[in-house]
Amino acid sequence: MEATESTTNGAAYGDKEDTLRPEDLSELLAAGTKQVHEKAENTQFVKDFLRGRIRRELFKLGSVALYYTYAAMEEEIERNKEHPHFAPLYFPTELHRHQALASDLQYFYGPEWQSQISCSPATRRYVERIHQVGQEDPVLLVAHAYTRYMGDLSGGQVLKKVAQRALKLPSTGEGVEFYRFDAIHSPKAFKQLYRSRMNELDLDGDTKERLVAEAVKAFQFNMEVFDELEDLGKGTQEEVLDAGVPVHGAGGDINKCPFYAAKTAASGGTAYACQLAMVVLRHPAGQVLFATWFAALAGLAAWYIM
């Protein structure tokens, strides 16, 4: 197969199979995170995404969480791009996501999107850890980059289609730029290159063990974000089904709830329509139609870790 030239880092990659050894970093990471990876895939938020049960507001807030995460990670990657334990994995053109996420947030929140979003508590803890390792122990950035980017390349097109169908997003890609890797022509080949670069890093056994432990932490941070979104979704559902209007009401203090502030600012004229749709779902006929629609979507989905 014809090799594809990478646009950065002087790399060329093809589809040949790697010869892997148990002591290779990529193998240690895969084995060491297997259990937590499976646990993350079985969180309720992830399972709902798999079935196409995606509410627009939660998808937007999920994109906000990803934006803050990738902005932090890529800031630290830029800071450490010449570090000997990270430089071989520096692929900004191919991999960096925060600008794509900025485009998605502009689509959902409008031109003033930066003033409409806020970093959630779970995301803030994730971001703080990324900054800590980037400034104090840069080799651990390898674990965070591996956890995020390799997952992004392992099924992103499927998730993109699930989101587009469930949220009725434009087929031209607005709102799901995060899942597009235009500079990577063969995700399989690029992942092989990336793992090969990881395995060639000059690391001792203790450092490899610390990287596995950090990758486990990265999955745990992701699960905390998933759980936070799931809890937020439960609260949103109760607001609409029980009262038909947000529980904050006219007397609520938006400044004390950044999530609600973001939702209110972003929804504009669609907020009433969403509330009306949820009111309809209180009736048996509406519930049947709703269940039928999601059952059709469920057969189309496949999951990869976010």
Side-chain angles (χ1 to χ4, degrees), residues 16-17 32 38 91 130 148 159 201 215 245 252 256 268 281 304:
K16 67 178 183 179
E17 294 295 327
E38 291 175 352
F91 293 97
I130 290 170
R148 290 301 331 174
L159 281 184
L201 295 174
V245 294
K256 294 182 180 179
L281 292 179
Y304 86 104

Side-chain angles (χ1 to χ4, degrees), residues 219-238:
F219 275 106
Q220 290 170 339
F221 281 121
N222 278 285
M223 285 191 287
E224 288 181 12
V225 173
F226 296 154
D227 290 343
E228 184 180 64
L229 288 168
E230 175 65 19
D231 288 344
L232 186 64
K234 292 175 182 176
T236 302
Q237 185 178 36
E238 289 171 0

Side-chain angles (χ1 to χ4, degrees), residues 28-29 42 113-114 123-124 182 206-207 242 258 286 299:
L28 292 172
L29 285 168
N42 282 287
W113 64 271
Q114 288 178 302
T123 304
R124 187 179 301 113
D182 293 338
D206 178 67
T207 301
D242 292 344

